[in-house]
Amino acid sequence: MLAIGDERYNFNVPNRERTFRLQALILRHLDWGEADRLITLYSREEGKRRAIAKGVRRLRSRKSGHLEPFSQVNLLLARGRDLPIITQVETIKPFSTLREDLHLISYASYLVELVDRFTIEEESNPDVYGLLLNCFDRLSKGAEAAFEVRYFELQFLNSIGFRPELTECVVCRERIQPQAQYFSFELGGVVCPNCKPKLPTAYSISLEMLKYLRHLQRSTYAEARKARIPPLVQVEMESLLGRYFTHLLERQLNTPQFIRSIKNMSQLTTDPDQDNP
Amino acid sequence: MPTPKPIQDVINAFSRLPGIGPKTAGRLAFFLLSAPDELAQDLANSIIALKTEVVTCPVCFNIMGRGQTSCDICQDEHRDRSLICVVEDAMDVLALERVGAYQGLYHVLQGVLSPIEGISPQDLRIEELLKRLQENEVREVIIATNPSMEGDATAMYLQQRLQPLGLRITRLARGLPVGSDLEYADPTTLVRALSGRQEMGVS
């Protein structure tokens, strides 16, 4: 028998506070149970977290409108047995324009997928939070999406520890000379033409793109923005970074495929008008 | 003593259902064990019938009984055939039908676009909808996808695809739900409610 005052009587007394606050961006949601949703969010304080939002699929829910993907919110959460439960939520920036355009939805979803796939729960990284927040903010204000996404990709690689080596050859460590180069996904950086024979899988890249990659990698946003990246270089860059992400994740991302199908459709529906003015 | 296999099998089967954990599954299994034989028999039969007797309508992709050429709604002579309401899944048709205020036909997409989950337009019944609109005399398409990011994406995609057909495209209104409180409304909903406000005194 346990008596009051017995120290064993203190079982289960939590040594942490029952509720906690987070400032976060909503990444994605998944229907859960009867009327709940499982929300994945990226918080400033604790990095990626998952939490349950109770009853948000009901019409009368006061929370549902605040928990749409891409919103920036303040949350009050209660520690649950398994996942925390969202008890209060308040929007800081809704970024609703990101959800009102099909292209913006797909680009924002792409950023979200990158962050979701490359991060693990409860590992704080305020840089990633800031990057995503700034990128959402600029996209919602009409910034050029292709540039924003490329800049995000390079800065994101910096913050998560996969910064590609772009100034010296990853094999011989010699400085890169101004000539066409190769890129090794396995070694995560540029390979010079002399070392290329040792790495048959190295991927050919143009010197021009390499320059823009370096520029985006080490510049502040304001400086990087001044660069006018030629369309062909943009295509090359998108393809290289896409391959690099696929290599790192050992799987394909879902969103690039979606972005392509949206682009194809836009061409289908707008082309006839351009042909017959 | 380990649970006898027939009981454990039932428990395992129930645990795979949404919202049912091992405890609930166990309770259900033992309830069926002690209940009259017909109860278990009826349950088993109705579950088998569910999977064999329910198919999707080849016209609108709503659910229908096996052996029908199209679902009851598509066959109904009294319905307005120039009106098509596009919904995400068959449950939405049931919800709209319960209200009884809609007299047109439906088109069930069987899902919703989701870039992150990798659900692309070709995974939904969109080509079938376009074909249906080209072959039939349709005046208006009502897009009734959920007011969520995925529902909005689907609505915008449909709008772009349907535009060239030159018919009227509408979307269900969004605003404040009955019995709600302005104080708790989120900014997006409030903005929509303001921009979609309606003249009073006009029915």
Side-chain angles (χ1 to χ4, degrees):
Chain A
M1 263 300 278
L2 286 175
I4 292 177
D6 188 319
E7 62 174 18
R8 285 176 301 163
Y9 195 77
N10 266 336
F11 59 91
N12 257 348
V13 173
N15 49 11
R16 301 185 292 177
E17 266 191 275
R18 260 181 53 73
T19 59
F20 60 108
R21 282 163 205 284
L22 293 176
Q23 188 189 102
L25 291 158
I26 308 292
L27 298 185
R28 55 201 287 189
H29 56 201
L30 193 72
D31 288 353
W32 196 257
E34 179 76 8
D36 309 340
R37 275 204 178 112
L38 175 65
I39 311 273
T40 309
L41 44 93
Y42 200 88
S43 67
R44 188 181 55 180
E45 295 84 358
E46 300 185 13
K48 185 166 80 175
R49 293 240 28 180
R50 290 185 306 158
I52 300 284
K54 292 271 184 197
V56 285
R57 279 148 67 205
R58 288 185 221 284
L59 209 53
R60 294 256 190 108
S61 166
R62 299 184 302 218
K63 293 196 277 284
S64 59
H66 298 276
L67 290 170
E68 279 294 291
F70 320 140
S71 314
Q72 188 197 18
V73 293
N74 274 323
L75 296 159
L76 187 69
L77 300 105
R79 290 183 207 282
R81 255 186 310 179
D82 183 12
L83 291 165
I85 291 164
I86 297 173
T87 52
Q88 285 178 35
V89 52
E90 165 195 66
T91 303
I92 305 171
K93 283 185 179 160
F95 294 134
S96 39
T97 42
L98 293 181
R99 295 184 296 270
E100 286 163 5
D101 175 281
L102 206 46
H103 291 94
L104 286 179
I105 287 183
S106 26
Y107 287 121
S109 301
Y110 175 64
L111 305 182
V112 161
E113 195 183 4
L114 277 181
V115 171
D116 190 24
R117 293 244 185 255
F118 273 100
T119 53
I120 53 168
E121 279 184 66
E122 294 185 59
E123 192 180 80
S124 161
N125 191 338
D127 286 353
V128 171
Y129 179 77
L131 269 175
L132 192 60
L133 176 62
N134 287 335
C135 201
F136 279 174
D137 192 41
R138 290 191 290 255
L139 283 175
S140 71
K141 288 173 181 153
E144 188 199 337
F147 174 83
E148 294 300 326
V149 172
R150 296 292 91 76
Y151 182 74
F152 177 88
E153 287 172 332
L154 281 158
Q155 296 295 321
F156 180 63
L157 285 169
N158 288 352
S159 340
I160 58 170
F162 284 112
R163 178 188 172 107
E165 175 57 64
L166 300 175
T167 50
E168 55 184 45
C169 169
V170 286
V171 181
C172 65
R173 294 290 157 191
E174 291 291 323
R175 270 198 82 75
I176 289 297
Q177 300 303 312
Q179 53 183 321
Q181 302 290 344
Y182 299 87
F183 190 91
S184 162
F185 299 114
E186 288 79 12
L187 298 176
V190 183
V191 178
C192 70
N194 295 337
C195 297
K196 155 72 182 162
K198 292 180 212 159
L199 284 170
T201 53
Y203 180 78
S204 165
I205 55 171
S206 72
L207 179 67
E208 199 184 9
M209 184 196 57
L210 180 58
K211 284 181 179 163
Y212 283 109
L213 275 182
R214 282 186 196 163
H215 183 57
L216 295 190
Q217 185 185 59
R218 59 191 179 190
S219 305
T220 61
Y221 178 78
E223 282 170 29
R225 192 69 203 92
K226 289 179 195 148
R228 286 270 151 260
I229 309 179
L232 269 177
V233 176
Q234 286 198 19
V235 172
E236 192 188 351
M237 209 183 262
E238 181 177 349
S239 143
L240 177 85
L241 289 166
R243 278 161 175 264
Y244 190 40
F245 286 126
T246 308
H247 171 79
L248 293 174
L249 290 169
E250 298 180 9
R251 58 159 291 165
Q252 294 267 332
L253 290 160
N254 285 330
T255 355
Q257 166 69 30
F258 187 88
I259 293 177
R260 275 193 294 276
S261 64
I262 299 299
K263 274 187 180 154
N264 289 343
M265 187 238 357
S266 304
Q267 278 159 9
L268 278 178
T269 48
T270 51
D271 271 357
D273 302 323
Q274 286 163 355
D275 290 346
N276 319 306
Chain B
M1 183 192 105
T3 321
K5 191 173 177 298
I7 301 181
Q8 193 56 50
D9 286 349
V10 174
I11 294 179
N12 292 346
F14 275 130
S15 318
R16 271 184 261 155
L17 301 178
I20 295 187
K23 285 273 181 232
T24 316
R27 206 159 52 236
L28 290 173
F30 281 98
F31 171 77
L32 284 176
L33 193 63
S34 57
D37 289 356
E38 306 93 76
L39 191 91
Q41 201 60 254
D42 287 353
L43 184 66
N45 290 341
S46 54
I47 291 175
I48 291 168
L50 179 71
K51 295 306 282 185
T52 54
E53 297 301 313
V54 179
V55 290
T56 51
C57 170
V59 181
C60 69
F61 299 96
N62 189 11
I63 43 173
M64 65 172 197
R66 175 176 294 281
Q68 285 176 266
T69 48
S70 61
C71 72
D72 294 341
I73 296 172
C74 289
Q75 280 180 357
D76 191 341
E77 290 294 313
H78 302 294
R79 285 192 168 251
D80 185 349
R81 304 197 158 261
S82 65
L83 210 56
I84 290 185
C85 179
V86 181
V87 294
E88 289 178 19
D89 53 45
M91 295 269 280
D92 298 329
V93 174
L94 292 181
L96 282 161
E97 281 302 291
R98 257 200 309 273
V99 185
Y102 177 66
Q103 282 305 318
L105 303 181
Y106 291 94
H107 189 86
V108 182
L109 293 173
Q110 296 186 334
V112 64
L113 291 183
S114 174
I116 304 173
E117 311 296 336
I119 301 172
S120 298
Q122 55 269 28
D123 300 319
L124 307 181
R125 302 288 184 178
I126 291 175
E127 295 310 317
E128 288 88 342
L129 172 65
L130 284 164
K131 193 159 165 275
R132 210 176 148 192
L133 294 174
Q134 278 153 1
E135 288 169 359
N136 297 287
E137 199 60 37
V138 175
R139 169 167 56 92
E140 179 178 348
V141 172
I142 303 168
I143 301 177
T145 51
N146 287 331
S148 63
M149 186 266 278
E150 291 82 359
D152 286 351
T154 314
M156 283 182 274
Y157 181 83
L158 284 174
Q159 191 255 334
Q160 289 186 33
R161 290 295 302 271
L162 302 185
Q163 198 91 78
L165 300 177
L167 36 80
R168 186 165 180 229
I169 307 167
T170 52
R171 176 98 203 264
L172 287 191
R174 67 176 71 184
L176 300 164
V178 175
S180 65
D181 199 318
L182 272 191
E183 189 190 344
Y184 291 109
D186 62 278
T188 319
T189 306
L190 263 183
V191 168
R192 297 284 180 125
L194 263 175
S195 63
R197 66 188 187 277
Q198 292 187 342
E199 205 79 52
M200 287 181 71
V202 191
S203 60

